[in-house]
Amino acid sequence: GRSKMEELLIRDAIQSLLNHYAQAFDDRSFDMTLGTLFTNECLVDLPPGVHRGITGLDQFHVAVMAPFERTQHVFTNYIIGLNGDKATFRANTLVSHLITCKDNPEVGELFFVGGVLTGSAVVLSDRWRISTVTLVPIWRKGEGPGPDMKVG
């Protein structure tokens, strides 16, 4: 079995993966970041659609974020389960979206979504990577692109 210290380091590594994923949404650094966070065979299930595999994963995320001028993704309350070279995770999410009006960029509508992020991670050559991730909205406030917006 692992030592307590090893377990803490693994939990920290997985939280770091998810924190970098949140940051990628907000600074739109998908092309630079996602390849370091996900496995090649990953499955990503977001409210607008599902994408399989690392190929095209950045373009999928760009399309998902296209309606929003600015966003802030907060992931918290991490629960991580470890089983050998695999892990499961759950986190609460709070995402603030700013949607600008095309006619008047000074005017922005706020759209908030609270949800739950679940998934799994695996260790590949001593580095943890996300293998599956699913984001399920629990509540929404404001006018967003709507649940019928589909990507992927």
Side-chain angles (χ1 to χ4, degrees):
R2 292 191 176 102
S3 72
K4 256 307 190 210
M5 182 55 77
E6 286 173 313
E7 283 201 7
L8 287 170
L9 290 170
I10 291 169
R11 288 173 196 279
D12 183 68
I14 293 168
Q15 286 187 28
S16 181
L17 276 179
L18 296 172
N19 289 336
H20 281 94
Y21 188 37
Q23 182 185 356
F25 276 109
D26 295 336
D27 63 19
R28 310 296 198 264
S29 60
F30 302 120
D31 56 339
M32 293 180 291
T33 309
L34 298 185
T36 67
L37 302 181
F38 285 87
T39 64
N40 287 336
E41 313 73 38
C42 62
L43 174 65
V44 177
D45 185 350
L46 302 177
V50 177
H51 184 87
R52 287 180 188 278
I54 200 76
T55 305
L57 189 61
D58 49 350
Q59 295 95 324
F60 168 76
H61 282 82
V62 167
V64 166
M65 299 312 292
F68 311 114
E69 180 72 19
R70 293 273 181 270
T71 55
Q72 189 173 41
H73 287 66
V74 177
F75 295 172
T76 186
N77 297 81
Y78 293 106
I79 298 171
I80 296 167
L82 301 178
N83 184 4
D85 287 347
K86 295 190 167 87
T88 57
F89 58 80
R90 180 195 191 278
N92 284 337
T93 64
L94 177 58
V95 185
S96 307
H97 308 77
L98 178 67
I99 305 170
T100 54
C101 172
K102 301 252 183 292
D103 305 329
N104 182 1
E106 300 298 309
V107 179
E109 288 291 322
L110 284 171
F111 171 51
F112 302 99
V113 181
V116 174
L117 188 79
T118 56
S120 55
V122 295
V123 68
L124 300 170
S125 37
D126 289 336
R127 291 209 44 197
W128 285 88
R129 301 283 179 116
I130 300 167
S131 49
T132 66
V133 66
T134 300
L135 178 58
V136 176
I138 303 298
W139 58 268
R140 301 166 182 258
K141 173 85 172 139
E143 288 293 316
D148 46 358
M149 175 191 144
K150 290 290 174 246
V151 171

